[in-house]
Amino acid sequence: MCLNDLKKSAAGIGDEQSMSPPGYKRLGEIHVPVLVIVGDYDEPMASLAAPFMEQGIADVRRVNMPTGHLPSLEKPDEFNRIVLEFLSGN
């Protein structure tokens, strides 16, 4: 158990229920278009989630941005343009 878990336990928070089956096994249940935005300089584990989602979700669009973990803060104009294009169906 890590220090954050101990702090949450002591504060009486963090008792989330586990999904059954886990969310990663349920990606095929998503039946709406999904936009996945990936920062090119994000942590490797976060970046590995994108191809996994692409394989599991039928209608997915992936966009890589030259950012770290927070593309909406690092390049807000570009991020907003990408999201608005996605929402408008382009």
Side-chain angles (χ1 to χ4, degrees):
M1 183 177 275
C2 71
L3 182 58
N4 283 338
D5 291 337
L6 290 172
K7 288 178 181 178
K8 287 179 182 178
S9 179
I13 59 174
D15 297 328
E16 295 90 9
Q17 295 292 321
S18 297
M19 290 184 74
S20 182
Y24 72 91
K25 291 185 178 180
R26 302 181 66 195
L27 294 176
E29 296 177 27
I30 299 174
H31 300 291
V32 296
V34 173
L35 175 63
V36 175
I37 299 177
V38 179
D40 289 330
Y41 309 111
D42 200 349
E43 293 291 323
M45 287 303 290
S47 297
L48 290 174
F52 189 78
M53 287 187 273
E54 285 180 295
Q55 292 173 3
I57 302 171
D59 189 3
V60 64
R61 177 177 171 211
R62 174 183 172 169
V63 176
N64 282 60
M65 291 183 62
T67 66
H69 189 68
L70 299 170
S72 62
L73 297 178
E74 296 172 49
K75 295 204 177 269
D77 293 336
E78 184 178 352
F79 178 87
N80 289 339
R81 180 187 54 76
I82 290 167
V83 171
L84 289 172
E85 284 178 5
F86 176 78
L87 294 173
S88 69
N90 294 325

